[in-house]
Every structure is written in C-alpha cells, then in structure tokens.
Amino acid sequence: MRYGLFLLLLGSACNTDLPAPVDHAPASVRDRLDDQTRLLVAAGESGGSITAQRHVAGAEWAGGLVDLQIENGELVMFSDAPGALTLETMQVTFKPLQIPAGVFGGKDAQLTHVRIDLKHELRAPAQWVSDDEVHLTANLDLGLSWELTLDGNPAPLGSPKLPLVPVELVLTGDGEHVSAALRAHAPGELWSWAGLVKLSELELSLGADL
C-alpha cells in the first residue's frame, strides 16, 4: 500500500506539464485597442465629393462637384495611453474620378489611380465616452498620388502637397467588433495646376470595420 502511494506521488512530481494560461478575449473597444487594430474601409459606407474648376475668361472659374467613390482602404490604430489614440496607417484608394465637362476644354478628363496615404504615424489626444466609444479630432498630413487621363491618354501630373486635413474619428463597438466613422472637411483650395485648374472643398466620409 505504501509502495503504491509512493509511485503515485513520484508520478505526480515528474509531470511538469502545467496548464497553459487562458488567453482572455478583449471585453471592450478599449481592450481591443491595447493591440494594433486593423479596420477595413467599407466602400458601400464611404464616399465624398470635391469641387473641380477650370479658369475661364477674366477672373471666372467654371466647373462643379466630383463624386468621390471608394474602392478600398484601411485604418490601423492602437491606444497605449489612457488619453491618447495612435493612427498608424490610413490608406484609401478611389475609383476613377470623372472631371466635369469643360474643365479641360471639352476633353474627357479623369483622375485615375487616385490614392491617399497618411504620411506619418499620428498620436493625438482622445476622449473616451465609455470603454466602447472613443472620439478623436486631429489634422492629418496626407500624401496624394494620382494620374490625369485626357481622352484616354495619360498626362503627367505630379503629387501635390496638400494642406493639413482636419478629421473627426469615432470608434464604437465591443471586444469582438469595432466600427470606425471618419469624417474630413477641408474648406478652401487643396490643389491647383498652372493657374488653370484647381480642386477645393473636400468632403470625405469613411466607414470601416474590424
């Protein structure tokens, strides 16, 4: 009897396989943002507009609104401090933008391969309404790449230097699902070309989900 008990205790002592610690799933948006979180832009929930104009006689400008249709994109962010949120990546690709007739002297004009990217990681103060809702207001330094196509022929078009674009970002959800609503409104002129063409009054609304 004592010999059997000894073998039982010896076997227990030799068994060093301990249970692995339980990896608890995030319980809130705040918990989720403790780690890098990637949200995909939903094309059906996103869009916007920009004003395209061409210089005509005198000091007059002619043109109109151009719809911004989203093709794809992503937002990557995290929170490593109670009162701050870091936007690590923002990338949005647009479908070809049809320029209003007459802006380029009657030629069929499109902006193609249009894409914006956040130039630098941004860390900004954030307001937590609750563990499942956070708001951020910031000015983004965005890079723009594109190509101008006239009557089907590509024309050289450099990457413009954009002014800082003010945005409002709201994140809501829970530990399993996070949704982002980003709105940008940049009044005034954003870009001009040789004093003949200009883009202004940007309005952009993005919806993104985990």
Side-chain angles (χ1 to χ4, degrees):
M1 184 70 178
R2 291 181 179 177
Y3 181 74
L5 180 60
F6 172 78
L7 291 179
L8 179 61
L9 293 175
L10 180 62
S12 299
C14 293
N15 184 7
T16 58
D17 293 330
L18 299 177
V22 178
D23 186 13
H24 294 288
S28 64
V29 171
R30 191 190 294 270
D31 288 346
R32 171 65 67 176
L33 291 175
D34 282 344
D35 295 320
Q36 185 187 66
T37 301
R38 179 173 179 254
L39 307 179
L40 298 181
V41 172
E45 302 174 11
S46 307
S49 66
I50 197 168
T51 298
Q53 294 175 292
R54 177 178 66 92
H55 188 262
V56 292
E60 297 296 322
W61 290 84
L65 284 179
V66 177
D67 288 333
L68 300 177
Q69 298 183 29
I70 310 300
E71 193 166 85
N72 56 59
E74 67 175 4
L75 303 173
V76 179
M77 62 199 71
F78 61 88
S79 177
D80 59 358
L85 189 65
T86 296
L87 183 59
E88 184 176 347
T89 301
M90 175 182 170
Q91 176 269 312
V92 182
T93 300
F94 297 87
K95 294 181 180 179
L97 310 181
Q98 186 67 46
I99 303 299
V103 170
F104 283 91
K107 293 184 178 182
D108 179 63
Q110 287 186 324
L111 293 174
T112 56
H113 305 109
V114 182
R115 171 174 166 151
I116 58 173
D117 290 270
L118 183 66
K119 287 185 177 181
H120 310 287
E121 179 179 287
L122 173 76
R123 188 183 191 198
Q127 179 183 0
W128 286 92
V129 177
S130 70
D131 284 345
D132 287 324
E133 182 176 346
V134 60
H135 296 232
L136 178 143
T137 301
N139 294 317
L140 301 187
D141 188 6
L142 299 176
L144 171 64
S145 59
W146 57 8
E147 187 174 78
L148 176 64
T149 302
L150 298 175
D151 288 338
N153 299 310
L157 193 63
S159 298
K161 179 175 175 55
L162 298 177
L164 295 178
V165 178
V167 301
E168 295 180 359
L169 175 64
V170 178
L171 299 176
T172 56
D174 52 38
E176 295 183 0
H177 180 266
V178 180
S179 294
L182 183 147
R183 286 181 171 79
H185 171 61
E189 183 178 304
L190 295 172
W191 171 80
S192 64
W193 187 28
L196 300 175
V197 179
K198 67 179 180 180
L199 298 177
S200 58
E201 301 298 329
L202 171 68
E203 295 280 353
L204 184 63
S205 177
L206 299 179
D209 298 282
L210 175 63

